[in-house]
C-alpha cells in the first residue's frame, strides 16, 4: 500500500479535492470580547493572523507572532512562530508563520496560544481551538462565525484618553 503524503497548503495534488476540515478558533482580548473564526485547516498561521486582525477590524500593518506561553515572557515559549522567521536575513529561532499550517500549531481542541500583534502597541489575543469542522462546498474561508463585545479602536485618539 503506498504511503500517503500530506500535501502543502493549497498545493494541487492531482486528485479530486476531499471535503477537508476546518479549525474553529476563538480569539479573545478579554473573556467576553472575542471573535470566532473558521479557517481551512491547511491554511497558514499567517492567514489565521490576518483573519483574526480583520475580525477585530484592525489594519493588518504590524509584525506578529504566536507563542505557547500565554503569560510572562512570551519569548521564552517552547513553541513559537513569528513573522520575523520569514524575513530575509532574519535572526529568529521561531518557526515560520508562512509555512506552518493552522492544523500543526493547533492540533487538538483546547490548544491555546498567545497571538501577539503589533509589538509596540502589544495587542495580546488568546487564541484557542474550539473545535474542528468540515468544509462546506462553495464557502469561502476564513470566515467569521461568532462575535462577542465591541472591538476596541486599534489607534485610539490620545486626546480622548
Amino acid at each position: 500500500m503506498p504511503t500517503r503524503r500530506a500535501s502543502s497548503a493549497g498545493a494541487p495534488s492531482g486528485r479530486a479535492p476531499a471535503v477537508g476540515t476546518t479549525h474553529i478558533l476563538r480569539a479573545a482580548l478579554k473573556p467576553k470580547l472575542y471573535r470566532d473564526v473558521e479557517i481551512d485547516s491547511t491554511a497558514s498561521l499567517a492567514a489565521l493572523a490576518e483573519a483574526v486582525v480583520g475580525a477585530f477590524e484592525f489594519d493588518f500593518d504590524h509584525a506578529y507572532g504566536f507563542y505557547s506561553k500565554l503569560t510572562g515572557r512570551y519569548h521564552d515559549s517552547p513553541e513559537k512562530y513569528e513573522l520575523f522567521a520569514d524575513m530575509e536575513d532574519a535572526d529568529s529561532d521561531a518557526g515560520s508563520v508562512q509555512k506552518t499550517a493552522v492544523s500543526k500549531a493547533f492540533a487538538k481542541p483546547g490548544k491555546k496560544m498567545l497571538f501577539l500583534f503589533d509589538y509596540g502597541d502589544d495587542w495580546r489575543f488568546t487564541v484557542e481551538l474550539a473545535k474542528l469542522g468540515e468544509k462546506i462546498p462553495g464557502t469561502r474561508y476564513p470566515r467569521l462565525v461568532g462575535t462577542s463585545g465591541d472591538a476596541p479602536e486599534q489607534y485610539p485618539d490620545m486626546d480622548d484618553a
Side-chain angles (χ1 to χ4, degrees):
M1 177 179 259
T3 304
R4 187 174 164 195
R5 290 181 143 190
S7 63
S8 57
S13 65
R15 292 177 283 169
V19 171
T21 60
T22 63
H23 273 54
I24 301 164
L25 300 115
R26 174 162 291 173
L29 283 169
K30 296 178 183 172
K32 293 187 178 182
L33 176 55
Y34 62 81
R35 301 293 182 264
D36 293 339
V37 174
E38 184 175 21
I39 191 166
D40 186 317
S41 298
T42 63
S44 68
L45 288 176
L48 175 60
E50 188 170 6
V52 168
V53 169
F56 281 89
E57 300 177 1
F58 286 7
D59 293 330
F60 192 56
D61 58 354
H62 292 282
Y64 56 88
F66 289 87
Y67 304 92
S68 59
K69 282 187 75 171
L70 302 176
T71 60
R73 292 181 42 86
Y74 60 85
H75 281 295
D76 294 336
S77 294
E79 182 182 7
K80 57 187 167 185
Y81 306 93
E82 295 176 338
L83 180 62
F84 302 122
D86 294 303
M87 296 179 170
E88 194 172 317
D89 299 328
D91 185 23
S92 174
D93 62 344
S96 165
V97 293
Q98 298 286 343
K99 296 175 184 171
T100 303
V102 171
S103 60
K104 179 181 185 296
F106 293 91
K108 295 179 183 170
K111 169 74 181 276
K112 292 182 183 180
M113 292 192 85
L114 169 69
F115 168 51
L116 180 58
F117 175 70
D118 186 349
Y119 293 90
D121 284 341
D122 202 39
W123 288 102
R124 292 175 181 241
F125 301 84
T126 301
V127 178
E128 179 179 4
L129 175 56
K131 63 183 179 178
L132 299 174
E134 298 246 341
K135 285 176 72 174
I136 301 167
T139 302
R140 292 180 63 121
Y141 298 96
R143 66 183 186 143
L144 187 63
V145 294
T147 66
S148 177
D150 293 329
E153 286 187 54
Q154 182 178 6
Y155 302 114
D157 187 350
M158 295 314 257
D159 293 339
D160 294 342

